[in-house]
């Protein structure tokens, strides 16, 4: 039964992705609507900068809410996936003008999620209601030792799928009758980017930043042989921007096979494409290797390994990873992501006074 006081809050949740905008409306903990609007690449690519998509994406949401007869005046808060902000510990943060300014400037880099807080704040300001982000991609709970890279000028950076990672970790802890803050576990988020995180007693104490480390993913290179990359960068074949695009959007599986959709790779492999087969094998091999490394971060004290994200729908990939890592700990598979729910629940915890919203400041 739903607690009556939960019904007082109606939250609009916004999660902008690279090629889609997902949004939902929750009454308390109850999902009212959930929609994913896929954007045509011709439309999205027409915008020079990511933040230029603000009105285009917001208009789509408003049109859909009107079609569903959800009055904007009934909303009591807006939640959005937080972007590449300054390093923050996990939790729910009130969106402020300062946060929006940082995201607009993309001081720490561009990412589709940078749009989330900007859209939420813009609409919430008009409606005179609060807006929040939860566990943004820049959650940084790394131990000092994990920050060391090998070159003082280049510290390792904590960027990850923190929102989904923490949400599934909490969910599994609950299923096991424990608290997230009492467990040691590893979460591998297998999406368009891949991040593998060891969680110690509720903190993400290390992680591979998918933009520059770890396994190859559908469209990111992950870690590269750095000497060879240096020669490539100095060769003049590519401009700086082209190299950046390769690292972030045209690397990984896409670079080898021309698609970031793993289902297409499987159909190529099943029609006899040996390269497709090898790259699929490499993906599970590299994910397993990363999980093994993160198990050492937890000194082998791993209660469970969670596989999540879109690729966790793929049985062959999941089975290949499990066969290599099951000696470490039991593996639990939670395909897809729970980001909209995590945003709604994180916001609800604040609105109901269970948790205090943290303030973002430089
Ligand atoms: N049902 C499915 N079966 C197999 N693979 C799937 C399925 N759904 C999605 N995928 C694969 O998952 C990958 C995308 O994962 P996901 O949708 O989690 O990424 P995203 O949300 O775009 O990015 P990210 O998770 O990095 O923020 C793609 O390679 C896609 O082919
Ligand atoms: C920026 C961290 C998450 C991702 O790679 O998409």
């Amino acid at each position: 039964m739903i607690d009556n006081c939960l019904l007082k809050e109606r939250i609009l949740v916004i999660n902008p992705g690279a090629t889609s905008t997902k949004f939902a409306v929750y009454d308390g903990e109850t999902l009212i609507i959930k929609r994913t609007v896929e954007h045509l690449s011709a439309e999205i690519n027409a915008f020079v900068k990511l933040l230029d998509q603000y009105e285009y994406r917001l208009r789509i949401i408003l049109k859909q809410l009107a079609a569903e007869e959800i009055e904007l005046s009934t909303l009591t808060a807006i939640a959005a996936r937080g972007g590449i902000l300054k390093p923050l510990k996990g939790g729910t943060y009130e969106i402020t003008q300062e946060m929006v300014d940082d995201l607009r400037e993309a001081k720490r880099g561009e990412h589709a999620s940078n749009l989330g807080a900007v859209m939420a704040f813009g609409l919430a300001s008009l409606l005179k209601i609060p807006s929040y982000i939860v566990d943004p991609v820049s959650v940084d709970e790394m131990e000092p030792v994990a920050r060391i890279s090998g070159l003082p000028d280049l510290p390792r950076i904590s960027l990850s799928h923190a929102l989904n990672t923490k949400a599934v970790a909490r969910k599994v802890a609950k299923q096991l009758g424990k608290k997230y803050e009492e467990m040691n576990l590893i979460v591998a988020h297998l999406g368009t980017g891949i991040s593998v995180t060891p969680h110690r007693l509720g903190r993400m104490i290390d992680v591979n930043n998918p933009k520059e480390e770890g396994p190859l993913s559908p469209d990111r290179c992950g870690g590269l042989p750095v000497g060879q990359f240096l020669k490539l960068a100095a060769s003049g074949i590519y401009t700086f921007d082209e190299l950046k695009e390769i690292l972030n959007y045209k690397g990984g599986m896409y670079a080898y096979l021309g698609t970031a959709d793993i289902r297409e790779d499987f159909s190529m492999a099943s029609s006899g494409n040996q390269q497709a087969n090898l790259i699929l094998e490499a993906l599970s091999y590299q994910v397993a290797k990363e999980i093994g490394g993160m198990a050492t971060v937890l000194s082998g004290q791993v209660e469970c390994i969670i596989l999540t994200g879109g690729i966790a729908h793929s049985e062959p990939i999941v089975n290949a990873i499990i066969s290599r890592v099951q000696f470490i700990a039991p593996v639990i598979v939670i395909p897809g992501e729970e980001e909209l729910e995590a945003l709604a629940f994180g916001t609800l915890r604040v609105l109901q006074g269970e948790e205090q919203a943290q303030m973002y400041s430089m």
Side-chain angles (χ1 to χ4, degrees):
M1 200 176 93
I2 301 156
D3 187 335
N4 266 343
C5 79
L6 296 182
L7 294 176
K8 287 185 195 152
E9 304 295 351
R10 172 167 282 190
I11 305 167
L12 170 64
V13 183
I14 304 173
N15 185 0
T19 57
S20 69
T21 301
K22 295 177 186 164
F23 60 97
V25 176
Y26 283 81
D27 275 351
E29 291 186 347
T30 307
L31 177 67
I32 301 299
I33 63 155
K34 185 177 186 171
R35 300 285 177 263
T36 299
V37 179
E38 304 286 347
H39 304 302
L40 297 173
S41 41
E43 280 182 15
I44 277 275
N45 294 339
F47 296 98
V48 180
K49 281 186 164 177
L50 181 86
L51 266 292
D52 296 342
Q53 298 168 16
Y54 172 89
E55 274 183 19
Y56 161 79
R57 297 215 197 201
L58 199 53
R59 210 173 299 130
I60 289 174
I61 297 177
L62 295 179
K63 199 169 153 196
Q64 189 73 34
L65 291 180
E68 312 263 357
E69 296 184 350
I70 294 181
E71 296 279 342
L72 293 181
S73 61
T74 61
L75 298 175
T76 58
I78 304 182
R81 184 167 179 216
I84 309 189
L85 291 157
K86 66 171 183 154
L88 300 166
K89 68 177 171 125
T92 301
Y93 288 78
E94 186 161 352
I95 304 175
T96 57
Q97 186 64 54
E98 187 181 0
M99 183 189 287
V100 168
D101 291 345
D102 279 0
L103 291 167
R104 281 196 172 280
E105 278 181 54
K107 278 185 182 164
R108 295 190 70 226
E110 293 227 330
H111 192 260
S113 61
N114 284 4
L115 270 167
V118 181
M119 290 163 72
F121 189 72
L123 183 56
S125 303
L126 286 176
L127 300 174
K128 299 196 179 1
I129 56 177
S131 55
Y132 301 92
I133 57 161
V134 182
D135 292 332
V137 294
S138 61
V139 165
D140 183 349
E141 299 171 339
M142 269 190 180
E143 298 280 289
V145 69
R147 297 181 195 281
I148 304 299
S149 69
L151 202 58
D153 285 343
L154 307 178
R156 294 183 64 232
I157 291 173
S158 181
L159 285 180
S160 72
H161 304 86
L163 180 62
N164 185 49
T165 295
K166 281 192 178 261
V168 296
R170 279 202 185 91
K171 182 175 186 166
V172 165
K174 200 169 170 185
Q175 279 168 6
L176 299 175
K178 295 187 176 182
K179 280 195 172 155
Y180 167 55
E181 292 76 12
E182 292 166 1
M183 290 192 73
N184 281 357
L185 40 83
I186 295 173
V187 184
H189 177 102
L190 314 175
T192 303
I194 293 181
S195 58
V196 179
T197 327
H199 298 239
R200 191 176 65 205
L201 308 178
R203 289 177 53 242
M204 300 176 9
I205 58 171
D206 199 338
V207 67
N208 71 284
N209 168 5
K211 285 173 174 282
E212 48 191 35
E213 296 179 335
L216 68 89
S217 74
D219 74 357
R220 325 256 162 95
C221 302
L224 288 176
V226 71
Q228 292 180 52
F229 185 73
L230 189 60
K231 279 189 195 148
L232 183 68
S235 70
I237 298 173
Y238 299 108
T239 64
F240 177 81
D241 285 342
E242 283 167 348
L243 283 175
K244 218 167 110 181
E245 195 178 17
I246 290 171
L247 287 182
N248 292 326
Y249 307 110
K250 291 191 173 165
M253 276 174 10
Y254 182 88
Y256 285 96
L257 304 169
T259 173
D261 187 334
I262 207 156
R263 292 161 288 198
E264 284 184 32
D265 296 347
F266 273 106
S267 67
M268 287 161 85
S270 63
S271 19
N273 183 328
Q274 294 298 318
Q275 177 84 333
N277 221 8
L278 184 64
I279 299 310
L280 288 164
E281 190 186 342
L283 188 135
S284 46
Y285 170 89
Q286 293 188 14
V287 170
K289 198 164 129 184
E290 195 72 19
I291 291 172
M294 294 307 184
T296 68
V297 167
L298 294 169
S299 306
Q301 307 292 303
V302 185
E303 291 169 76
C304 73
I305 296 164
I306 305 172
L307 304 182
T308 183
I311 297 176
H313 283 291
S314 166
E315 223 173 282
I317 296 277
V318 163
N319 289 342
I321 297 172
I322 291 178
S323 68
R324 288 185 192 271
V325 302
Q326 62 190 348
F327 77 95
I328 299 170
V331 181
I332 297 175
V333 183
I334 304 188
E337 40 79 15
E338 318 230 330
E339 293 177 342
L340 291 171
E341 185 181 286
L343 287 167
F345 288 12
T347 298
L348 207 53
R349 283 197 293 276
V350 164
L351 296 175
Q352 293 176 338
E354 284 168 37
E355 207 178 286
Q356 195 156 7
Q358 310 198 46
M359 290 308 291
Y360 179 78
S361 61
M362 292 311 285

